[in-house]
Amino acid sequence: MRVPRARPISPHPALPQLVGWSRPPIPPHPAGGSGSRRPGEGRRAGAEENRAGRCPAAMPSPRSSPSRRAAPIPSPSRRAAPIPSPSRRAAPGPSPSCAAVALRSLLAADLRFSRQLGVCAGERSAWGSARPLLRLLEVSGHGVPWLAGTLYGLGRSESPAGREVLLNLLFALVLDLVLVAVVKGLVRRRRPTHNKMDMFVTISVDKYSFPSGHATRAAMVCRFVLHHLVLAIPLRVLVVLWAIIVGISRVMLGRHNVTDVAFGFIMGYMQYNVVKYFWLSPLSAPALFAVWNQ
């Protein structure tokens, strides 16, 4: 027996109007448009649009970021200079001699030792209370008091022998001033850094330290007095001690380094030899003595 197929029931044509809903019409798609794409074509099209820059929300690839771009190849004009071969390298400078190394070591030790001995360089130094006494010694070895005293003695002296000695002492003091100024101008060694520039009557070359003018003058005057004045032994000892203490006071006040004073003593000792060689007398300089005898 044959069973008849059930006939589908079509909706009533007025049902959508009764419910209030209508299905929107489906717009026709042009041939070859996006509506006619096959499965998988949308992904390929989106990827192609991203590569072409059509998608504004696409993030840049890390490889294309400016911070990771490869450095440009330098042009031939900016390339680094080639490393010279060992045969073309500059030869090293000459090594310092033993004398230069010894001199540098001596100067370094001199500066260090002089700074340690500058115990009266300021009021707040270790021996700052003794500074006024040492400054009095500084005045006693200065050239101005010695020149003034010698000129006064020449004007008051009445004996020819006394005038001869005082005239040669004046010559020795002037010679000392000239030689010390010349050496200071040539060497131009600065005074110690802990020195206070409150010295008694200074001139332009007194800003230099080498040699010590007080030390040269003290050594020369000491030798001059011991050779031409008749003094008792205690007085002769006091003259030698005065010369030594004047030199030491220059280091304690911070005016000079130890080598400045040591060279000053040697230079002053040799200056007396020059004075003795060119000794002024009525026979060697009669015109000069005639002026003082008037």
mmCIF file of all heavy atoms in Angstrom, residues 200-235:
data_model
loop_
_atom_site.group_PDB
_atom_site.id
_atom_site.type_symbol
_atom_site.label_atom_id
_atom_site.label_comp_id
_atom_site.label_asym_id
_atom_site.label_seq_id
_atom_site.Cartn_x
_atom_site.Cartn_y
_atom_site.Cartn_z
ATOM 1 N N PHE A 200 107.280 91.735 54.611
ATOM 2 C CA PHE A 200 107.722 93.101 54.866
ATOM 3 C C PHE A 200 108.402 93.668 53.617
ATOM 4 O O PHE A 200 109.443 93.172 53.195
ATOM 5 C CB PHE A 200 108.678 93.108 56.076
ATOM 6 C CG PHE A 200 109.276 94.450 56.384
ATOM 7 C CD1 PHE A 200 108.522 95.444 56.989
ATOM 8 C CD2 PHE A 200 110.599 94.718 56.078
ATOM 9 C CE1 PHE A 200 109.072 96.671 57.274
ATOM 10 C CE2 PHE A 200 111.159 95.944 56.354
ATOM 11 C CZ PHE A 200 110.399 96.921 56.960
ATOM 12 N N VAL A 201 107.834 94.699 53.029
ATOM 13 C CA VAL A 201 108.392 95.449 51.897
ATOM 14 C C VAL A 201 108.823 94.496 50.778
ATOM 15 O O VAL A 201 109.983 94.066 50.717
ATOM 16 C CB VAL A 201 109.584 96.323 52.343
ATOM 17 C CG1 VAL A 201 110.024 97.241 51.183
ATOM 18 C CG2 VAL A 201 109.217 97.168 53.541
ATOM 19 N N THR A 202 107.897 94.163 49.896
ATOM 20 C CA THR A 202 108.179 93.269 48.778
ATOM 21 C C THR A 202 108.177 94.037 47.462
ATOM 22 O O THR A 202 107.571 95.108 47.348
ATOM 23 C CB THR A 202 107.120 92.161 48.706
ATOM 24 O OG1 THR A 202 105.824 92.752 48.543
ATOM 25 C CG2 THR A 202 107.136 91.322 49.966
ATOM 26 N N ILE A 203 108.863 93.468 46.465
ATOM 27 C CA ILE A 203 108.867 94.013 45.111
ATOM 28 C C ILE A 203 108.356 92.922 44.161
ATOM 29 O O ILE A 203 107.904 91.868 44.605
ATOM 30 C CB ILE A 203 110.267 94.512 44.696
ATOM 31 C CG1 ILE A 203 111.296 93.385 44.810
ATOM 32 C CG2 ILE A 203 110.681 95.705 45.537
ATOM 33 C CD1 ILE A 203 112.686 93.793 44.352
ATOM 34 N N SER A 204 108.450 93.182 42.864
ATOM 35 C CA SER A 204 107.824 92.282 41.887
ATOM 36 C C SER A 204 108.404 90.876 41.930
ATOM 37 O O SER A 204 107.667 89.880 41.854
ATOM 38 C CB SER A 204 107.974 92.862 40.481
ATOM 39 O OG SER A 204 109.349 93.014 40.152
ATOM 40 N N VAL A 205 109.720 90.735 42.061
ATOM 41 C CA VAL A 205 110.332 89.396 42.030
ATOM 42 C C VAL A 205 110.160 88.649 43.336
ATOM 43 O O VAL A 205 110.477 87.456 43.406
ATOM 44 C CB VAL A 205 111.833 89.500 41.686
ATOM 45 C CG1 VAL A 205 112.033 90.006 40.277
ATOM 46 C CG2 VAL A 205 112.561 90.364 42.693
ATOM 47 N N ASP A 206 109.651 89.306 44.368
ATOM 48 C CA ASP A 206 109.483 88.630 45.649
ATOM 49 C C ASP A 206 108.331 87.635 45.644
ATOM 50 O O ASP A 206 108.154 86.907 46.621
ATOM 51 C CB ASP A 206 109.262 89.657 46.766
ATOM 52 C CG ASP A 206 110.545 90.386 47.128
ATOM 53 O OD1 ASP A 206 111.635 89.804 46.926
ATOM 54 O OD2 ASP A 206 110.471 91.544 47.589
ATOM 55 N N LYS A 207 107.546 87.601 44.576
ATOM 56 C CA LYS A 207 106.513 86.572 44.492
ATOM 57 C C LYS A 207 107.101 85.203 44.161
ATOM 58 O O LYS A 207 106.398 84.199 44.268
ATOM 59 C CB LYS A 207 105.477 86.957 43.440
ATOM 60 C CG LYS A 207 106.037 87.068 42.028
ATOM 61 C CD LYS A 207 104.974 87.529 41.053
ATOM 62 C CE LYS A 207 105.539 87.697 39.641
ATOM 63 N NZ LYS A 207 104.506 88.173 38.686
ATOM 64 N N TYR A 208 108.365 85.178 43.780
ATOM 65 C CA TYR A 208 109.047 83.914 43.501
ATOM 66 C C TYR A 208 109.825 83.471 44.732
ATOM 67 O O TYR A 208 110.165 84.268 45.608
ATOM 68 C CB TYR A 208 109.966 84.060 42.301
ATOM 69 C CG TYR A 208 109.243 84.472 41.040
ATOM 70 C CD1 TYR A 208 109.587 85.634 40.355
ATOM 71 C CD2 TYR A 208 108.207 83.698 40.524
ATOM 72 C CE1 TYR A 208 108.924 86.013 39.204
ATOM 73 C CE2 TYR A 208 107.537 84.074 39.368
ATOM 74 C CZ TYR A 208 107.902 85.233 38.722
ATOM 75 O OH TYR A 208 107.231 85.615 37.589
ATOM 76 N N SER A 209 110.127 82.197 44.765
ATOM 77 C CA SER A 209 110.652 81.595 45.998
ATOM 78 C C SER A 209 112.128 81.229 45.937
ATOM 79 O O SER A 209 112.790 81.220 46.978
ATOM 80 C CB SER A 209 109.827 80.341 46.319
ATOM 81 O OG SER A 209 110.353 79.656 47.422
ATOM 82 N N PHE A 210 112.633 80.910 44.781
ATOM 83 C CA PHE A 210 113.991 80.362 44.684
ATOM 84 C C PHE A 210 114.951 81.401 44.106
ATOM 85 O O PHE A 210 114.704 81.917 43.013
ATOM 86 C CB PHE A 210 114.002 79.128 43.793
ATOM 87 C CG PHE A 210 115.320 78.402 43.731
ATOM 88 C CD1 PHE A 210 115.624 77.426 44.640
ATOM 89 C CD2 PHE A 210 116.254 78.731 42.762
ATOM 90 C CE1 PHE A 210 116.833 76.754 44.573
ATOM 91 C CE2 PHE A 210 117.457 78.070 42.690
ATOM 92 C CZ PHE A 210 117.753 77.081 43.607
ATOM 93 N N PRO A 211 116.045 81.724 44.865
ATOM 94 C CA PRO A 211 116.434 81.276 46.205
ATOM 95 C C PRO A 211 115.883 82.222 47.268
ATOM 96 O O PRO A 211 115.257 83.224 46.956
ATOM 97 C CB PRO A 211 117.943 81.336 46.151
ATOM 98 C CG PRO A 211 118.212 82.521 45.277
ATOM 99 C CD PRO A 211 117.121 82.537 44.244
ATOM 100 N N SER A 212 116.155 81.911 48.518
ATOM 101 C CA SER A 212 115.717 82.760 49.617
ATOM 102 C C SER A 212 116.682 83.932 49.775
ATOM 103 O O SER A 212 117.872 83.750 50.056
ATOM 104 C CB SER A 212 115.655 81.951 50.918
ATOM 105 O OG SER A 212 115.430 82.808 52.023
ATOM 106 N N GLY A 213 116.166 85.155 49.580
ATOM 107 C CA GLY A 213 117.012 86.337 49.730
ATOM 108 C C GLY A 213 117.478 86.539 51.154
ATOM 109 O O GLY A 213 118.598 87.023 51.388
ATOM 110 N N HIS A 214 116.633 86.194 52.118
ATOM 111 C CA HIS A 214 117.049 86.304 53.519
ATOM 112 C C HIS A 214 118.205 85.351 53.828
ATOM 113 O O HIS A 214 119.129 85.704 54.580
ATOM 114 C CB HIS A 214 115.864 86.009 54.433
ATOM 115 C CG HIS A 214 114.886 87.131 54.547
ATOM 116 N ND1 HIS A 214 114.067 87.505 53.512
ATOM 117 C CD2 HIS A 214 114.596 87.959 55.596
ATOM 118 C CE1 HIS A 214 113.295 88.517 53.904
ATOM 119 N NE2 HIS A 214 113.603 88.820 55.158
ATOM 120 N N ALA A 215 118.151 84.149 53.253
ATOM 121 C CA ALA A 215 119.219 83.179 53.503
ATOM 122 C C ALA A 215 120.530 83.631 52.865
ATOM 123 O O ALA A 215 121.606 83.517 53.486
ATOM 124 C CB ALA A 215 118.810 81.808 52.982
ATOM 125 N N THR A 216 120.491 84.141 51.630
ATOM 126 C CA THR A 216 121.722 84.611 50.986
ATOM 127 C C THR A 216 122.317 85.798 51.750
ATOM 128 O O THR A 216 123.532 85.875 51.969
ATOM 129 C CB THR A 216 121.419 85.040 49.544
ATOM 130 O OG1 THR A 216 120.423 86.072 49.546
ATOM 131 C CG2 THR A 216 120.918 83.869 48.734
ATOM 132 N N ARG A 217 121.451 86.704 52.165
ATOM 133 C CA ARG A 217 121.939 87.893 52.882
ATOM 134 C C ARG A 217 122.493 87.515 54.247
ATOM 135 O O ARG A 217 123.535 88.059 54.679
ATOM 136 C CB ARG A 217 120.796 88.900 53.023
ATOM 137 C CG ARG A 217 121.225 90.276 53.483
ATOM 138 C CD ARG A 217 120.049 91.234 53.443
ATOM 139 N NE ARG A 217 119.495 91.295 52.095
ATOM 140 C CZ ARG A 217 118.327 90.773 51.744
ATOM 141 N NH1 ARG A 217 117.574 90.151 52.640
ATOM 142 N NH2 ARG A 217 117.889 90.876 50.507
ATOM 143 N N ALA A 218 121.825 86.609 54.945
ATOM 144 C CA ALA A 218 122.299 86.211 56.273
ATOM 145 C C ALA A 218 123.653 85.519 56.180
ATOM 146 O O ALA A 218 124.566 85.790 56.992
ATOM 147 C CB ALA A 218 121.273 85.293 56.932
ATOM 148 N N ALA A 219 123.813 84.628 55.209
ATOM 149 C CA ALA A 219 125.096 83.924 55.067
ATOM 150 C C ALA A 219 126.210 84.882 54.675
ATOM 151 O O ALA A 219 127.337 84.801 55.208
ATOM 152 C CB ALA A 219 124.954 82.813 54.034
ATOM 153 N N MET A 220 125.936 85.813 53.758
ATOM 154 C CA MET A 220 126.967 86.745 53.313
ATOM 155 C C MET A 220 127.345 87.721 54.427
ATOM 156 O O MET A 220 128.535 87.985 54.668
ATOM 157 C CB MET A 220 126.470 87.514 52.104
ATOM 158 C CG MET A 220 127.496 88.452 51.498
ATOM 159 S SD MET A 220 126.727 89.658 50.419
ATOM 160 C CE MET A 220 125.654 90.527 51.560
ATOM 161 N N VAL A 221 126.363 88.278 55.123
ATOM 162 C CA VAL A 221 126.647 89.226 56.210
ATOM 163 C C VAL A 221 127.384 88.521 57.350
ATOM 164 O O VAL A 221 128.305 89.100 57.958
ATOM 165 C CB VAL A 221 125.336 89.856 56.698
ATOM 166 C CG1 VAL A 221 125.564 90.646 57.986
ATOM 167 C CG2 VAL A 221 124.757 90.776 55.623
ATOM 168 N N CYS A 222 126.988 87.286 57.645
ATOM 169 C CA CYS A 222 127.673 86.541 58.707
ATOM 170 C C CYS A 222 129.148 86.366 58.375
ATOM 171 O O CYS A 222 130.026 86.615 59.224
ATOM 172 C CB CYS A 222 126.995 85.198 58.890
ATOM 173 S SG CYS A 222 127.788 84.107 60.093
ATOM 174 N N ARG A 223 129.453 85.976 57.182
ATOM 175 C CA ARG A 223 130.854 85.786 56.805
ATOM 176 C C ARG A 223 131.598 87.115 56.739
ATOM 177 O O ARG A 223 132.784 87.190 57.115
ATOM 178 C CB ARG A 223 130.922 85.076 55.458
ATOM 179 C CG ARG A 223 132.290 84.526 55.139
ATOM 180 C CD ARG A 223 132.295 83.755 53.847
ATOM 181 N NE ARG A 223 133.630 83.266 53.547
ATOM 182 C CZ ARG A 223 134.008 82.753 52.392
ATOM 183 N NH1 ARG A 223 133.109 82.633 51.405
ATOM 184 N NH2 ARG A 223 135.247 82.336 52.199
ATOM 185 N N PHE A 224 130.930 88.151 56.292
ATOM 186 C CA PHE A 224 131.558 89.464 56.206
ATOM 187 C C PHE A 224 131.909 89.986 57.602
ATOM 188 O O PHE A 224 133.014 90.500 57.833
ATOM 189 C CB PHE A 224 130.596 90.442 55.504
ATOM 190 C CG PHE A 224 131.204 91.764 55.171
ATOM 191 C CD1 PHE A 224 131.719 92.003 53.903
ATOM 192 C CD2 PHE A 224 131.265 92.789 56.112
ATOM 193 C CE1 PHE A 224 132.279 93.232 53.590
ATOM 194 C CE2 PHE A 224 131.829 94.010 55.808
ATOM 195 C CZ PHE A 224 132.336 94.231 54.542
ATOM 196 N N VAL A 225 130.982 89.865 58.535
ATOM 197 C CA VAL A 225 131.206 90.371 59.894
ATOM 198 C C VAL A 225 132.315 89.582 60.587
ATOM 199 O O VAL A 225 133.173 90.151 61.279
ATOM 200 C CB VAL A 225 129.892 90.314 60.690
ATOM 201 C CG1 VAL A 225 130.142 90.575 62.177
ATOM 202 C CG2 VAL A 225 128.906 91.327 60.147
ATOM 203 N N LEU A 226 132.312 88.272 60.424
ATOM 204 C CA LEU A 226 133.329 87.450 61.081
ATOM 205 C C LEU A 226 134.729 87.742 60.546
ATOM 206 O O LEU A 226 135.725 87.554 61.282
ATOM 207 C CB LEU A 226 132.998 85.968 60.902
ATOM 208 C CG LEU A 226 131.726 85.460 61.598
ATOM 209 C CD1 LEU A 226 131.514 83.987 61.303
ATOM 210 C CD2 LEU A 226 131.785 85.714 63.091
ATOM 211 N N HIS A 227 134.856 88.220 59.308
ATOM 212 C CA HIS A 227 136.169 88.471 58.727
ATOM 213 C C HIS A 227 136.674 89.900 58.963
ATOM 214 O O HIS A 227 137.893 90.125 58.921
ATOM 215 C CB HIS A 227 136.147 88.193 57.217
ATOM 216 C CG HIS A 227 136.289 86.737 56.881
ATOM 217 N ND1 HIS A 227 135.241 85.844 56.988
ATOM 218 C CD2 HIS A 227 137.358 86.004 56.448
ATOM 219 C CE1 HIS A 227 135.651 84.637 56.623
ATOM 220 N NE2 HIS A 227 136.926 84.707 56.294
ATOM 221 N N HIS A 228 135.783 90.847 59.172
ATOM 222 C CA HIS A 228 136.210 92.248 59.203
ATOM 223 C C HIS A 228 135.872 92.979 60.493
ATOM 224 O O HIS A 228 136.211 94.159 60.627
ATOM 225 C CB HIS A 228 135.583 93.011 58.032
ATOM 226 C CG HIS A 228 136.008 92.491 56.698
ATOM 227 N ND1 HIS A 228 137.240 92.770 56.140
ATOM 228 C CD2 HIS A 228 135.359 91.678 55.811
ATOM 229 C CE1 HIS A 228 137.337 92.181 54.960
ATOM 230 N NE2 HIS A 228 136.221 91.511 54.745
ATOM 231 N N LEU A 229 135.258 92.320 61.436
ATOM 232 C CA LEU A 229 134.988 92.928 62.736
ATOM 233 C C LEU A 229 135.629 92.079 63.825
ATOM 234 O O LEU A 229 135.560 90.842 63.787
ATOM 235 C CB LEU A 229 133.484 93.051 62.990
ATOM 236 C CG LEU A 229 132.699 94.002 62.068
ATOM 237 C CD1 LEU A 229 131.241 94.053 62.486
ATOM 238 C CD2 LEU A 229 133.307 95.404 62.061
ATOM 239 N N VAL A 230 136.221 92.748 64.782
ATOM 240 C CA VAL A 230 136.848 92.062 65.904
ATOM 241 C C VAL A 230 135.783 91.882 66.979
ATOM 242 O O VAL A 230 135.352 92.852 67.621
ATOM 243 C CB VAL A 230 138.052 92.856 66.451
ATOM 244 C CG1 VAL A 230 138.676 92.114 67.634
ATOM 245 C CG2 VAL A 230 139.072 93.091 65.353
ATOM 246 N N LEU A 231 135.346 90.657 67.163
ATOM 247 C CA LEU A 231 134.285 90.346 68.109
ATOM 248 C C LEU A 231 134.730 89.249 69.052
ATOM 249 O O LEU A 231 135.590 88.420 68.718
ATOM 250 C CB LEU A 231 133.017 89.893 67.369
ATOM 251 C CG LEU A 231 132.380 90.883 66.386
ATOM 252 C CD1 LEU A 231 131.224 90.227 65.659
ATOM 253 C CD2 LEU A 231 131.922 92.147 67.103
ATOM 254 N N ALA A 232 134.158 89.253 70.228
ATOM 255 C CA ALA A 232 134.416 88.181 71.180
ATOM 256 C C ALA A 232 133.741 86.898 70.684
ATOM 257 O O ALA A 232 132.853 86.915 69.834
ATOM 258 C CB ALA A 232 133.894 88.575 72.565
ATOM 259 N N ILE A 233 134.178 85.803 71.254
ATOM 260 C CA ILE A 233 133.659 84.500 70.801
ATOM 261 C C ILE A 233 132.154 84.381 71.019
ATOM 262 O O ILE A 233 131.445 83.886 70.119
ATOM 263 C CB ILE A 233 134.422 83.368 71.514
ATOM 264 C CG1 ILE A 233 135.888 83.354 71.082
ATOM 265 C CG2 ILE A 233 133.762 82.016 71.223
ATOM 266 C CD1 ILE A 233 136.727 82.280 71.750
ATOM 267 N N PRO A 234 131.608 84.809 72.173
ATOM 268 C CA PRO A 234 130.140 84.713 72.301
ATOM 269 C C PRO A 234 129.397 85.505 71.222
ATOM 270 O O PRO A 234 128.372 85.033 70.715
ATOM 271 C CB PRO A 234 129.875 85.278 73.699
ATOM 272 C CG PRO A 234 131.137 85.050 74.442
ATOM 273 C CD PRO A 234 132.221 85.253 73.438
ATOM 274 N N LEU A 235 129.914 86.669 70.882
ATOM 275 C CA LEU A 235 129.264 87.448 69.837
ATOM 276 C C LEU A 235 129.380 86.777 68.469
ATOM 277 O O LEU A 235 128.447 86.828 67.663
ATOM 278 C CB LEU A 235 129.857 88.853 69.793
ATOM 279 C CG LEU A 235 129.570 89.745 71.019
ATOM 280 C CD1 LEU A 235 130.253 91.100 70.852
ATOM 281 C CD2 LEU A 235 128.065 89.912 71.207
#
